Amino acid sequence: DGLLFLKRFEPAGGRNYPDFGCNAETYICDQFIELETLGQVKTLQPGETTTLKETWSVFEKTESIQSFEEIEPFIC
């Protein structure tokens, strides 16, 4: 409906990820789109924490986007 949703994150390079090494997954059905960011597989000790930072942005875009080149001006 004329909107562009952009989700950014910094993957941990060289780390072990679930699902065959993927750091992001998508699921699409007729009711919603799921954009899932995966963190690294890591055993945490009691009291230890980990963080995965995501940045979400929404842009107005009145035309249909057909290629990455059309998105690039919004994200750079």
Side-chain angles (χ1 to χ4, degrees), residues 53-66:
K53 180 182 175 184
E54 295 180 340
T55 303
W56 294 9
S57 304
V58 177
F59 300 93
E60 288 189 48
K61 176 74 171 132
T62 58
E63 305 161 1
S64 176
I65 295 171
Q66 301 296 319

Side-chain angles (χ1 to χ4, degrees), residues 15-16 39-44 48-50:
R15 302 294 172 98
N16 185 26
Q40 62 183 334
V41 175
K42 181 178 179 181
T43 301
L44 298 176
E48 189 178 9
T49 63
T50 188

